[in-house]
Amino acid sequence: MITPKEGLAYYRNFLYYIEDKLGKEVAFVDREDYAEINDMLRNGDLDAAFVCSGPYVDGHKNFGMELLSRLRLTVKRFIIHT
């Protein structure tokens, strides 16, 4: 799992895309952990956030966080026996 701060490197181009589509500036807000991000969403300090499954489940249960989009990844694992 990456921290929200590390996420900027991964999401920078997507944030530019969202800015272009919305026609307004999008700010990247980072915190030490996802609990802080969820608190900010709950309090109305953020409109949206990138979170992984654990923080989403917590947010949905605790304050009704809604899923806007989902990314489906396929992970291949290999076991090498020598």
Side-chain angles (χ1 to χ4, degrees):
M1 180 187 320
I2 63 170
T3 66
K5 188 172 187 174
E6 293 167 328
L8 178 58
Y10 295 97
Y11 300 124
R12 184 183 319 270
N13 289 335
F14 186 60
L15 293 173
Y16 294 149
Y17 173 81
I18 292 172
E19 282 183 340
D20 183 57
K21 293 299 178 185
L22 292 177
K24 58 171 110 173
E25 186 177 344
V26 173
F28 182 81
V29 176
D30 64 347
R31 293 296 182 263
E32 289 299 315
D33 59 41
Y34 285 110
E36 292 181 66
I37 296 294
N38 276 7
D39 287 342
M40 293 180 77
L41 287 165
R42 177 188 4 247
N43 297 332
D45 298 324
L46 294 177
D47 296 317
F50 294 108
V51 296
C52 59
S53 57
Y56 167 72
V57 170
D58 291 343
H60 182 72
K61 182 176 91 175
N62 295 329
F63 60 93
M65 181 188 288
E66 295 181 37
L67 183 65
L68 299 178
S69 182
R70 170 177 80 154
L71 177 62
R72 183 177 284 175
L73 298 174
T74 302
V75 178
K76 293 184 180 181
R77 296 185 178 157
F78 299 94
I79 298 174
I80 301 173
H81 184 280
T82 56

